[in-house]
Amino acid sequence: MTTTPVTYPTGALIDGQWITSATSFPVINPATGKEIARVPNLGAKETQDAVDAASRALGAWSAKPAKDRSIVLRRWFDLITANTEPLAQLMTAEQGKPLSEARGEVAYGASFVEWFAEEGKRAYGRTIPTTVASRRYITIKQPIGVVAAITPWNFPIAMITRKVASALAAGCTIIVKPAEDTPLCALAVAKLALDAGVPPGVFNVVTTMDAPAVGKVLTDDARVRKLTFTGSTAVGKALYRQCADTVKKLTLELGGNAPLLIFDDANLDQAVAGAMASKYRNAGQTCVCANRILVQSGIYDRFAAALVAAVEKLHVAPGTDARCTIGPLINADAIAKVEALSADAIAKGAKVMTGGTVNAAGPLFYQPTVISGVTRDMDIVREEIFGPVAALMRFETEADAIALANDTPFGLAAYLFSQNLSRAWRVAEKLEAGMVGVNDGIFSNEVVPFGGVKQSGLGREGAAEGLDEYLETKFICLGAIDA
Ligand code: ADP
């Protein structure tokens, strides 16, 4: 197949047209502080245009046989995959993650397109045994309609494809508002979607600096039947409220406060490898990053020493440096947050075992850090760190560990390390989380359901569950069949 190089569109995408606007905003490379490009700063009017376009496109797209939509999605997957290198370079430029991780995210992002290209063909209804001789009961699945997606900057491709591929496979049309820090990856994958044959209006991208104004149009418009949001809990709650008047279906992937439990009977090497993968990937900027590392007394000192040794091998550098394992944080606010949480912990008695400062590579680079002796009165155990700082807490018994782990309003990911199968199963069942990794620090992929409980959100993405989020069940009663 022919592949088109990704040429980084810098217009927004509405109804198949790349549009500009009178005002624009810069996209900054966090490693250098330099401007990469400018994109349109759109407002309520253009958002309305995008909803109009998505509404017009809905009829034809939803009427296509699932197999035809699947062919288009499969072409989109092939194009993303063929353009892995330019997409990864673009992602590292605007988001900062190491190139190796950016390549991994392109594959991860593409995997959702491949999965939903297939899964869309399996939107099965049911026949239900009747209660009345003259009737038959059937359910069919139908696309929910126009969808709005609001996405974060930490996975600038995967958070788009995970939503868009499932919506499109189901027969929905979509308007995406990407994070203001990382609009270029969204526009690049949207261009590839057009190249793959996604019709005008089916996939729209509205870039803006004024997220509340765009969000208001998307939530107020009754034609938008679903909002899918990944981001902070505070914004997610506000959007949840805004969707009440039009009773939209919602998927919310909100903040986490993931506990990572290490029991005395853990395999130390596995525990260190799992903690490293979970904590330091994307410089700690994921909602499933271990936020609290709870370590049983008998293994605490050995684990802490081994973790520090592994952390000191990390290489802080711009993501384009082949040795880089920790890139910059996304912006100055992220650095300020990490510094404030660390300072609070230290003021209350925690100790820095390694790191604890900004790195010489630049103002947004933070030295990978391990803080020991963290206790439940510290802010760092309540708030998402979203940076390369590991907070170690000590516990004595399994019951204490479970109580500590669940002592949070959040419930996205949790991890546990133990070689005792009975304990692993028992604890996994008791952890209040949507996803539990047992002896594993990274588990997200396209075939398993991603999502949280409690204030971490609603709904699931990926897997069969991810398709269902974009479908309505219609019950059809066929009466008088004996007439
Ligand atoms: P983060 O702290 O990770 O940046 P946010 O929740 O602020 O998380 O951002 C996630 C997404 O939500 C981004 O696309 C952002 O522009 C958007 N956003 C932020 N505030 C609002 C709002 N009031 N209405 C709609 N979208 C918003």
Side-chain angles (χ1 to χ4, degrees):
M1 87 179 305
T2 57
T3 62
T4 38
V6 176
T7 49
Y8 311 171
T10 52
L13 179 62
I14 297 178
D15 207 10
Q17 302 296 314
W18 296 102
I19 64 156
T20 54
S21 74
T23 59
S24 62
F25 65 95
V27 184
I28 305 292
N29 181 331
T32 62
K34 297 215 170 81
E35 183 177 312
I36 306 166
R38 299 186 75 85
V39 297
N41 184 19
L42 302 184
K45 157 79 177 64
E46 294 89 353
T47 311
Q48 202 65 62
D49 293 345
V51 178
D52 291 348
S55 301
R56 280 194 304 272
L58 180 66
W61 183 250
S62 61
K64 270 187 193 297
K67 191 175 167 91
D68 291 2
R69 290 194 295 264
S70 169
I71 290 167
V72 174
L73 287 171
R74 176 74 208 189
R75 273 202 300 265
W76 188 27
F77 164 76
D78 288 337
L79 284 172
I80 295 174
T81 304
N83 285 285
T84 296
E85 198 51 33
L87 288 170
Q89 298 274 355
L90 180 62
M91 191 187 301
T92 292
E94 71 171 347
Q95 198 272 342
K97 66 179 64 181
L99 256 179
S100 56
E101 288 189 28
R103 291 185 189 111
E105 186 187 331
V106 176
Y108 174 60
S111 75
F112 292 104
V113 183
E114 181 190 41
W115 168 263
F116 285 110
E118 290 302 319
E119 202 60 16
K121 299 178 202 165
R122 294 188 266 275
Y124 302 126
R126 291 191 293 159
T127 56
I128 300 169
T130 192
T131 56
V132 177
S134 61
R135 283 183 178 161
R136 296 296 179 265
Y137 302 142
I138 307 132
T139 66
I140 60 170
K141 297 278 185 171
Q142 293 183 303
I144 189 159
V146 175
V147 174
I150 299 179
T151 58
W153 48 263
N154 59 345
F155 289 93
I157 286 184
M159 293 306 99
I160 307 250
T161 54
R162 191 157 79 176
K163 297 177 187 309
V164 175
S166 42
L168 266 50
C172 299
T173 58
I174 195 161
I175 303 117
V176 175
K177 192 219 80 64
E180 44 276 45
D181 294 295
T182 57
L184 297 176
C185 280
L187 296 169
V189 292
K191 175 183 185 299
L192 295 177
L194 289 190
D195 293 347
V198 171
V202 169
F203 178 6
N204 307 276
V205 183
V206 174
T207 52
T208 187
M209 282 282 277
D210 191 354
V214 170
K216 182 157 175 22
V217 173
L218 294 174
T219 51
D220 282 359
D221 196 311
R223 293 171 299 172
V224 176
R225 292 310 314 139
K226 176 179 174 103
L227 175 73
T228 171
F229 171 77
T230 300
S232 63
T233 300
V235 173
K237 285 180 182 176
L239 292 170
Y240 198 172
R241 287 187 201 100
Q242 284 174 228
C243 286
D245 278 346
T246 51
V247 194
K248 292 191 206 317
K249 193 160 165 169
L250 281 155
T251 299
L252 299 174
E253 302 287 1
L254 308 180
N257 183 359
L260 187 147
L261 281 56
I262 296 164
F263 290 95
D264 285 347
D265 51 22
N267 173 311
L268 183 66
D269 293 341
Q270 276 177 14
V272 172
M276 291 297 294
S278 166
K279 177 73 251 181
Y280 293 99
R281 184 169 56 119
N282 203 9
Q285 302 173 107
T286 89
C287 49
V288 293
C289 277
N291 212 53
R292 298 166 292 152
I293 301 186
L294 315 182
V295 192
Q296 201 162 13
S297 265
I299 197 173
Y300 188 98
D301 291 338
R302 278 184 300 138
F303 173 80
L307 184 70
V308 167
V311 166
E312 289 180 346
K313 293 199 185 97
L314 292 171
H315 190 81
V316 180
T320 46
D321 183 327
R323 292 163 302 169
C324 169
T325 47
I326 298 276
L329 299 192
I330 189 71
N331 53 35
D333 288 350
I335 290 281
K337 181 168 191 194
V338 165
E339 286 183 329
L341 291 177
S342 302
D344 173 77
I346 292 158
K348 291 175 181 159
K351 296 270 176 301
V352 174
M353 296 184 79
T354 186
T357 53
V358 169
N359 181 278
L364 298 188
F365 292 84
Y366 201 77
Q367 191 64 29
T369 299
V370 177
I371 299 184
S372 179
V374 168
T375 50
R376 58 206 306 178
D377 57 325
M378 300 174 183
D379 293 346
I380 204 162
V381 305
R382 278 188 298 278
E383 291 187 32
E384 261 190 314
I385 303 167
F386 243 66
V389 177
L392 305 192
M393 297 175 86
R394 187 185 291 268
F395 71 84
E396 300 298 332
T397 68
E398 184 180 306
D400 291 346
I402 293 166
L404 265 180
N406 290 340
D407 183 20
T408 166
F410 300 103
L412 191 58
Y415 308 85
L416 73 98
F417 289 81
S418 167
Q419 292 296 298
N420 178 327
L421 180 61
S422 308
R423 186 205 291 278
W425 187 260
R426 195 166 58 233
V427 175
E429 283 191 357
K430 289 195 176 130
L431 289 172
E432 294 166 1
M435 301 168 282
V436 178
V438 178
N439 296 325
D440 209 341
I442 296 186
F443 46 61
S444 177
N445 64 67
E446 75 279 19
V447 306
V448 299
F450 186 103
V453 300
K454 296 160 79 177
Q455 293 184 29
S456 287
L458 299 172
R460 294 293 179 269
E461 294 193 313
E465 287 88 341
L467 186 71
D468 223 37
E469 300 276 330
Y470 295 88
L471 294 167
E472 292 283 20
T473 299
K474 180 179 281 173
F475 158 57
I476 300 173
C477 175
L478 196 59
I481 67 160
D482 54 356

